Amino acid sequence: MDLLRSNLSRVRIPEPTNRIYKHECCISFDTPRSEGGLFVDMNTFLAFGKDCVGWNYEKTGNSVYLHIKQTKKLVPEDRPSKKPTLLAIGVDGGFDNNEPEYEETHNIVILPDYVTFPFPSVELPEKVRLAVDAILMAEGEERKGQLAAWTADKKQISAYAMNLQQIDNGVTVPPSGWKCAKCEKKENLWLNLTDGMILCGRKNWDGSGGNNHAIEHYKETKYPLAVKLGTITADLDAADVFSYPEDESVLDPLLSQHLAFFGIDFSSLQKTEMTTAERELDQNINFDWNRIQESGEELEPIFGPGYTGLVNLGNSCYMAATMQVVFSTRSFCSRYYMNLSLKEAFELAPADPTVDLNMQLTKLAHGMLSGKYSVPAMEKDDNANAATSTSSKQEGIPPRMFKSVIAASHPDFSSMRQQDALEFFLHFLDQVERANGGKPTLDPSRSFKFGIEERILCSSGKVAYNRRLDYILSLNIPLHEATNKDELEAFQKLKAGEISEGKDVSSEEIVRPRVPLEACLASFSAPEQIQDFYSTALKAKTTAQKSAGLTSFPDYLVLHMRKFVMEEGWVPKKLVPDGEADSNKLLANEDIVSQLVSMGFNHLHCEKAAINTLNTGVEEAMNWLLAHMDDPDIDLPISQEAQGTEVVDQSKIDTLISFGFEEELARKALKASAGDIEKATDWIFNNPNASISSDMDATTSSISPTPDDSGLPDGGGRYRLFGIVSHIGTSTQCGHYVAHVFKNGRWVIFNDNKVGASVNPPKDMGYLYFFERLDS
């Protein structure tokens, strides 16, 4: 006890603003459930596993720790299992993840000799007791936002509900026996609340669902709101109301009178259909193991070094799939695993290693590659009250701290929404390059970097060159090069016939264009005619020829496939979600604004902070505010500011440049699309005349100042495919991502925390293809 008292000066009682870690080691993925438990530094409130806590003592001299150990309780065999009604974990009505209950014990431990005192104990000094109580009562930093990750966004009241115009056309909707007015569909039916039309819903990516008649009706009439028949009951709040212009499920406070207008007595109706949210829940519970997840195949589970799954943190599969491929490269494996120990990374890290990218990358690398956490998940035996480790699944590791660090400079990745794996990959490499700034020999991102040169030949004979460095090669898919045109035409006829009969096209019947990769590469390098090119040599508009090629071959070449769907007449059309939302101006979240104002900040400044961080949260808005308080336009009204020069996120411009578009065109498209990359890409394809600057000067043969690619990795152009990131869904920002990696002579599937031997890798359905140079 004297030893403890002599160290009381290093014990702090946490304040409400302190970040307290008590669920996961900041250097490894150890938790209170690990064999050695978890040690919380009672000075910094950082947590350490048994293997790492000694390093912290050596580095800081902090000797007093709260030791937290959790041991599994016996679970009653007759514990009922409840079906979830809310897309959430850990709340009433949410997912029951069937986790066993744990008994938690606490001790005070003094290093370096691990002198231990049980807690609670009246013998402990009051300062220690108060500090421990505050730590145990506080919300752990690792768990903050975890609930938000799994709880769906609350529905908002539709802007169209309160003043909805309804047409008195004599329509009375019967209580049952509904059918689509334009086909034979009797399920997935939507009642338009303006004119009473009953029409089928959207067609899903796999051919199931409706025939798009409800959305087509909206496009023709602009009648904004529809309610899904079969979801209307006495509990009107549970009814599924969709707003087409807002492109989301909404609340209609006047739904009862809107239904009564068409003679619907909602009090007597029974629920017969799933709502959109319930269907999403159903897909989360029984996720459709489709082609990219090798449906129907008995996959042999794999465990051990390099085969560690990543726990889905809530729409984080884009990150998990990308990182599995990245850490299968020698450059990243060497930099953050083979050549850097956890202890070395911790010694190099700042006082708070949770905010250091180098530390968190090393933690992630060791977690994924060591094999320490790649073990079968413990499962409860149905016949005995005991746990078994014969599971084909593994628990995997939750990359929360890594996600927090890598997303700190990017509001989109800070959110819990699904994101584009390509955008994440480019942002990740950019952050790695910055973290290794000035040390090219250490920077593993350089193994992906290469040079591209564009050559523009004017009809006057003058030539201009444009060079840039890039991490990915973005390829169009020339659908006219499809090798199965006859099959496609036969499928189009079959599809048209089945739709006319009100039938669904089954996923087995769907035929997709098969375009050779060579054709995609040839399309990239083929000369392209530029119309309306202004030449100052000719002092007139003319036609120029543009061609492109690589100036170096990286160690790892990443190909991005720009996915398109085929419309009638073999016209390629960019794949975008149905019912795309209008580009309305973002409004500041009032909750965020009011919290910032209560801290003493100017109301206008707070609104700007919320808007510029996309209403992500108070902390993000405050960080933006502190960084922009001295901006010359900070006091300019938002309406006036919008009329001035719009500031476009440079990272989004860089993403479009990586797709092969010019910077000015990218900037113009993003301005026209409110900063949305997917809409900006669509805008470019829909405005072909904007594809080249009309006043480009090619009067002299010149090479403009270009980035230096002389120090980049280079070699022969022969490559071997070793990684695929596949995507399924209506857009890159919804759906699901899965990785396939060629390891030790076989293909392996990484589907979040599921890892298994691949039987049939989807080489024909990739979104990102990763190639390794054979002589690298």
Side-chain angles (χ1 to χ4, degrees), residues 15 161 246 376 379 388 541 580 637 734 747 754:
E15 300 289 334
E246 292 165 300
E379 288 191 341
T388 66
K541 287 186 177 181
E580 196 170 74
C734 68
W747 283 95
K754 305 179 188 75

Side-chain angles (χ1 to χ4, degrees), residues 339-385:
N339 299 337
L340 186 62
S341 70
L342 287 171
K343 184 177 182 182
E344 289 171 324
F346 178 60
E347 288 169 349
L348 293 169
D352 186 353
T354 66
V355 298
D356 181 50
L357 180 59
N358 185 62
M359 178 71 252
Q360 293 309 315
L361 273 171
T362 309
K363 170 180 171 175
L364 185 62
H366 282 257
M368 292 171 66
L369 302 174
S370 67
K372 179 180 179 180
Y373 306 99
S374 180
V375 293
M378 301 296 285
E379 288 191 341
K380 181 177 173 294
D381 192 327
D382 290 335
N383 302 317
N385 216 340

Side-chain angles (χ1 to χ4, degrees), residues 10-16 18-23 32 38-47 64-68 104 106-108 119 127-142 144:
R10 288 187 174 271
V11 174
R12 293 169 56 214
I13 299 173
E15 300 289 334
N18 288 138
R19 301 164 74 212
I20 296 172
Y21 293 87
K22 58 180 182 176
H23 300 296
L38 205 61
F39 295 79
V40 180
D41 184 332
M42 294 187 67
N43 180 271
T44 63
F45 313 120
L46 294 169
V64 186
Y65 295 83
L66 168 63
H67 182 243
I68 305 175
E104 190 167 284
H106 308 117
N107 289 289
I108 303 300
F119 182 89
K127 185 179 183 183
V128 174
R129 297 201 307 269
L130 290 172
V132 173
D133 286 339
I135 291 171
L136 296 178
M137 288 291 292
E139 181 77 64
E141 193 68 26
E142 310 96 322
K144 279 184 181 175

Side-chain angles (χ1 to χ4, degrees), residues 153-175:
D153 294 334
K154 290 182 180 177
K155 291 182 186 178
Q156 301 296 316
I157 294 176
S158 171
Y160 299 87
M162 305 309 288
N163 299 306
L164 184 72
Q165 298 296 314
Q166 293 188 283
I167 300 171
D168 188 4
N169 52 10
V171 170
T172 300
V173 177

Side-chain angles (χ1 to χ4, degrees), residues 535-579:
S535 168
T536 51
L538 301 175
K539 292 186 171 50
K541 287 186 177 181
T542 183
T543 299
Q545 189 179 78
K546 184 171 99 171
S547 56
L550 273 60
T551 62
S552 63
F553 288 112
D555 291 342
Y556 299 100
L557 178 63
V558 183
L559 303 184
H560 160 239
M561 312 310 292
R562 298 184 196 156
K563 294 203 170 182
F564 292 80
V565 293
M566 183 67 69
E567 295 295 302
E568 286 75 19
W570 291 88
V571 179
K573 179 185 175 187
K574 187 169 180 292
L575 182 63
V576 293
D578 288 337

Side-chain angles (χ1 to χ4, degrees), residues 446 449-453 467-470 549-553 706-714:
R446 290 174 63 82
K449 188 176 279 191
F450 58 92
I452 291 180
E453 179 180 88
R467 286 182 179 171
R468 69 176 190 274
L469 300 181
D470 218 328
L550 273 60
T551 62
S552 63
F553 288 112
T706 57
D708 180 21
D709 61 0
S710 59
L712 293 179
D714 197 8

Side-chain angles (χ1 to χ4, degrees), residues 241-522:
V241 180
F242 192 83
S243 169
Y244 293 108
E246 292 165 300
D247 196 28
E248 59 186 353
S249 294
V250 294
L251 291 176
D252 177 4
L254 304 180
L255 183 58
S256 59
Q257 68 185 59
H258 290 157
L259 293 173
F261 187 86
F262 298 111
I264 297 176
D265 177 11
F266 62 87
S267 62
S268 62
L269 293 179
Q270 298 295 313
K271 190 171 187 299
T272 59
E273 285 262 17
M274 284 196 291
T275 66
T276 306
E278 286 170 332
R279 188 169 294 278
E280 186 178 354
L281 271 172
D282 194 54
Q283 290 168 346
N284 274 273
I285 298 169
N286 304 300
F287 200 87
D288 181 19
W289 279 72
N290 47 59
R291 169 75 174 86
I292 67 168
Q293 298 182 102
E294 304 194 47
S295 175
E297 303 286 1
E298 284 294 326
L299 302 180
E300 171 201 349
I302 306 177
F303 303 97
Y307 299 107
T308 307
L310 294 176
V311 174
N312 195 315
L313 305 177
N315 289 325
S316 64
C317 57
Y318 67 92
M319 179 176 70
T322 304
M323 299 316 294
Q324 291 290 3
V325 182
V326 165
F327 275 109
S328 297
T329 63
R330 284 191 303 278
S331 55
F332 274 85
C333 179
S334 299
R335 171 70 176 90
Y336 295 108
Y337 179 63
M338 298 174 67
N339 299 337
L340 186 62
S341 70
L342 287 171
K343 184 177 182 182
E344 289 171 324
F346 178 60
E347 288 169 349
L348 293 169
D352 186 353
T354 66
V355 298
D356 181 50
L357 180 59
N358 185 62
M359 178 71 252
Q360 293 309 315
L361 273 171
T362 309
K363 170 180 171 175
L364 185 62
H366 282 257
M368 292 171 66
L369 302 174
S370 67
K372 179 180 179 180
Y373 306 99
S374 180
V375 293
M378 301 296 285
E379 288 191 341
K380 181 177 173 294
D381 192 327
D382 290 335
N383 302 317
N385 216 340
T388 66
S389 59
T390 57
S391 170
S392 61
K393 298 177 182 178
Q394 56 172 276
E395 289 182 4
I397 54 177
R400 291 190 196 98
M401 292 185 189
F402 165 71
K403 183 176 188 287
S404 177
V405 172
I406 201 69
S409 57
H410 198 296
D412 286 350
F413 300 129
S414 302
S415 75
M416 297 304 174
R417 296 183 294 274
Q418 185 63 277
Q419 303 294 337
D420 183 352
L422 170 66
E423 284 188 54
F424 175 77
F425 176 65
L426 293 172
H427 173 70
F428 168 74
L429 291 184
D430 177 65
Q431 294 301 300
V432 170
E433 183 177 14
R434 290 169 188 262
N436 290 280
K439 300 175 184 175
T441 56
L442 289 179
D443 183 7
S445 71
R446 290 174 63 82
S447 63
F448 289 96
K449 188 176 279 191
F450 58 92
I452 291 180
E453 179 180 88
E454 290 179 345
R455 179 179 184 270
I456 299 175
L457 172 64
C458 171
S459 59
S460 67
K462 303 297 183 184
V463 179
Y465 292 90
N466 176 40
R467 286 182 179 171
R468 69 176 190 274
L469 300 181
D470 218 328
Y471 287 121
I472 59 110
L473 187 60
S474 189
L475 300 177
N476 284 321
I477 301 176
L479 294 171
H480 62 278
E481 297 282 359
T483 58
N484 59 338
K485 292 181 182 178
D486 292 342
E487 288 178 67
L488 284 164
E489 288 174 1
F491 168 67
Q492 291 295 332
K493 291 177 183 175
L494 170 70
K495 178 182 171 184
E498 295 200 353
I499 288 175
S500 67
E501 295 173 14
K503 297 179 183 177
D504 279 339
V505 179
S506 70
S507 57
E508 290 80 16
E509 293 176 303
I510 291 176
V511 177
R512 297 180 177 84
R514 299 185 63 86
V515 180
L517 179 59
E518 291 88 342
C520 301
L521 290 166

